[in-house]
Amino acid sequence: MSEQWQYHGIAPKAGRRLLLLKQDELHLALPLIYRRINPKSVSLQPKWFNEALNNREQAYFLLEPLLTQLVLQRKNKENIDKLLIEVNRSLNAYFSDFGWRMIRKELSQIKKRQKKSHIELSNDIIFKLKHYMQKHQFDNLDQTIDNLLSEHESNL
């Protein structure tokens, strides 16, 4: 099975195709998936789940052990390629196209949050950084701080 979602309805003609889970995003995706496959979520957001599933509870009880096995094999550093394909197939059957789009959107937000850090600085330091930034014509504070750190390292 490819890494792309197999649409239940008509595949969109424009835009980016939906992707299934990849190994490098499992550490972020699995907690999200566990929260969303919960049978209570089905009643709260029924559009997220495949309408063609005859028995959603049964589908849940097939998917959940696969996810648990995936977690265990990842933890034990075993090869998970075949199991990931099986998990992706089950996820594709469990979620609707809309639901999987929402999952991917949430996962994207989680990835963005992982890339950013927030550091609290006093107003005095921010004022000095902005002054330094203007003086040396940097576009943003990241460049300014990076330059200061580089200068510091070169002086060591």
Side-chain angles (χ1 to χ4, degrees):
M1 186 172 185
S2 69
E3 291 182 4
Q4 291 186 344
W5 180 260
Q6 302 299 312
Y7 288 90
H8 301 287
I10 299 169
K13 294 180 180 167
R16 216 179 260 169
R17 289 187 54 86
L18 290 172
L19 297 176
L20 293 168
L21 295 178
K22 293 181 250 175
Q23 277 192 27
D24 64 339
E25 60 190 12
L26 287 176
H27 68 286
L28 299 173
L30 287 172
L32 171 64
I33 299 295
Y34 269 109
R35 280 195 314 272
R36 294 299 179 182
I37 65 166
N38 189 322
K40 293 177 185 174
S41 294
V42 176
S43 60
L44 295 173
Q45 295 168 319
K47 289 183 180 182
W48 284 41
F49 302 91
N50 190 354
E51 295 172 2
L53 279 177
N54 293 332
N55 189 344
R56 287 194 180 121
E57 268 188 40
Q58 183 180 359
Y60 169 78
F61 288 117
L62 293 173
L63 177 59
E64 197 277 332
L66 286 174
L67 288 170
T68 302
Q69 187 179 355
L70 183 66
V71 169
L72 290 174
Q73 284 187 6
R74 261 187 80 241
K75 190 176 183 180
N76 296 331
K77 298 187 185 323
E78 296 175 27
N79 187 345
I80 59 169
D81 293 340
K82 290 180 182 177
L83 183 57
L84 184 58
I85 290 170
E86 197 174 340
V87 167
N88 275 327
R89 282 187 184 138
S90 294
L91 289 169
N92 203 153
Y94 195 70
F95 287 100
S96 68
D97 296 344
F98 173 77
W100 191 250
R101 187 175 296 108
M102 295 296 104
I103 294 287
R104 291 303 305 187
K105 195 181 218 180
E106 283 186 52
L107 185 56
S108 176
Q109 291 299 316
I110 291 169
K111 286 179 180 180
K112 281 182 191 175
R113 277 186 242 120
Q114 291 288 319
K115 290 181 182 178
K116 295 187 176 191
S117 295
H118 299 281
I119 301 171
E120 288 189 26
L121 300 172
S122 69
N123 284 334
D124 293 343
I125 293 175
I126 291 173
F127 178 77
K128 288 177 185 177
L129 280 171
K130 286 185 178 181
H131 183 323
Y132 187 87
M133 184 173 88
Q134 288 174 344
K135 181 179 176 184
H136 295 285
Q137 299 178 340
F138 292 116
D139 295 330
N140 57 45
L141 288 174
D142 277 354
Q143 290 176 350
T144 307
I145 294 170
D146 186 49
N147 179 269
L148 286 167
L149 291 171
S150 298
E151 282 183 17
H152 176 72
E153 287 177 11
S154 67
N155 291 332
L156 291 178

